Amino acid sequence: MPKITVITPTYNSENTLDGTIGALLGQTFSDFEYIIIDGASKDKTIEKIRSYIPAFETKGVTVRIISEPDKGVYDAMNKGISYAKGELIGITNSDDWYEDNALEVIWAKYTDGKTDKANSMIYGIERVWKDDKIFNVQRRGASFISESVLPHSTFFVAKQVYKEHGAFDLSVKILADYDFICRCVSKGVKLEEVDVVISNFRLGGISSSYFDFYEDYYRIQHKYGFISEKKYKEYKYLLKLKKLINKVKRRW
């Protein structure tokens, strides 16, 4: 059995996959499996992935490809989790990429004798890119969970955690990853941090919509008691007002 499972959800991703896959082939740690969950792409995504299989085989890494219609990126992630055989599960999107030592660093933390293997999520620092330039570096830790989303692209979750607490809630369209982390923490799952850049995240994914993002964000903050009912209603009203103003500006 592989020690780690890495999952990539794809849909018409032929132009962005090279960096994601190249980073996995460059890993200093090779005891992992790679699962691609494709949403029935209409471009050459599958052909591109298959072209890399010999290189993965040389590295001793098993690649599994499932291509079929799905209900979106979080549904694809859930499918990947259901197929995963590794003790730890990481998710890297088709336009993101890991640092070369990411899996090695994460596995070292997981096996340091201090981390609760059955009840932990390990995460690190995320480097954010915009227009092929470094935009910022996210090092939001566990203490920020009530104030901000955490860098999900760096997260590796013990398989046992998914078994006990479920995976991503498909009713949350934009921030199901944040909802999942908050749910697990509320149930006592430990967040373990490594002070190392783990993943590179490219701006422009599904969470780029301002209004959709904050609708989910405030709902989740209210759901887990980070903000009061009064504050939640206030934020919803202000967001609704901003949306109306934005609509009027576009019309004029």
Side-chain angles (χ1 to χ4, degrees):
M1 292 292 184
K3 292 175 179 176
I4 297 176
T5 296
V6 176
I7 299 164
T8 296
T10 61
Y11 182 70
N12 292 343
S13 304
E14 66 170 312
N15 295 324
T16 59
L17 263 173
D18 289 312
T20 305
I21 293 177
L24 288 171
L25 288 171
Q27 289 299 305
T28 54
F29 181 96
S30 59
D31 195 351
F32 69 96
E33 65 173 348
Y34 188 34
I35 299 176
I36 297 93
I37 306 294
D38 180 71
S41 289
K42 296 177 174 61
D43 64 0
K44 295 181 179 179
T45 295
I46 299 302
E47 289 90 331
K48 173 160 283 191
I49 295 166
R50 286 178 177 153
S51 73
Y52 282 102
I53 289 179
F56 277 109
E57 289 176 343
T58 299
K59 195 176 178 69
V61 174
T62 300
V63 178
R64 183 170 187 177
I65 304 168
I66 293 92
S67 183
E68 61 188 17
D70 56 41
K71 298 174 184 176
V73 66
Y74 291 116
D75 185 35
M77 291 177 182
N78 285 350
K79 288 182 184 180
I81 291 163
S82 72
Y83 289 119
K85 296 178 181 178
E87 289 184 62
L88 270 180
I89 301 173
I91 299 172
T92 182
N93 288 322
S94 59
D95 53 355
D96 304 331
W97 65 98
Y98 289 135
E99 292 291 292
D100 288 347
N101 65 341
L103 301 189
E104 182 179 352
V105 168
I106 293 293
W107 188 255
K109 177 64 178 175
Y110 183 66
T111 57
D112 65 1
K114 301 175 184 178
T115 300
D116 184 347
K117 289 185 175 183
N119 195 47
S120 293
M121 299 190 285
I122 303 170
Y123 68 98
I125 299 170
E126 176 184 73
R127 188 185 292 114
V128 180
W129 295 75
K130 183 178 181 181
D131 299 326
D132 295 322
K133 296 179 181 178
I134 296 174
F135 182 68
N136 63 23
V137 176
Q138 313 265 27
R139 50 186 312 136
R140 295 186 300 268
S143 60
F144 283 83
I145 193 169
S146 64
E147 303 170 33
S148 178
V149 298
L150 301 187
H152 182 252
S153 73
T154 75
F155 269 71
F156 285 76
V157 180
K159 186 176 182 180
Q160 190 61 33
V161 169
Y162 284 119
K163 285 183 177 179
E164 292 189 15
H165 303 293
F168 300 106
D169 182 348
L170 300 189
S171 70
V172 184
K173 295 181 179 180
I174 302 295
L175 292 178
D177 47 359
Y178 181 49
D179 175 73
F180 168 74
I181 295 167
C182 291
R183 184 198 325 146
C184 290
V185 170
S186 74
K187 300 293 185 181
V189 176
K190 301 291 189 294
L191 290 178
E192 301 284 353
E193 183 177 15
V194 293
D195 192 26
V196 177
V197 174
I198 294 297
S199 183
N200 295 272
F201 171 80
R202 199 186 307 276
L203 286 174
I206 64 167
S207 60
S208 295
S209 170
Y210 177 90
F211 294 108
D212 291 341
F213 177 95
Y214 279 102
E215 282 177 7
D216 270 3
Y217 178 66
Y218 294 139
R219 188 182 304 116
I220 292 166
Q221 287 222 311
H222 177 248
K223 178 180 178 180
Y224 293 101
F226 301 147
I227 59 174
S228 66
E229 176 76 17
K230 180 180 178 181
K231 185 63 70 174
Y232 178 48
K233 289 181 177 178
E234 179 183 325
Y235 284 151
K236 282 206 304 181
Y237 172 76
L238 290 173
L239 196 61
K240 187 176 181 180
L241 187 61
K242 284 183 179 179
K243 189 182 288 189
L244 179 62
I245 292 171
N246 187 64
K247 189 176 180 179
V248 171
K249 282 183 177 179
R250 285 187 174 182
R251 185 174 294 176
W252 286 95

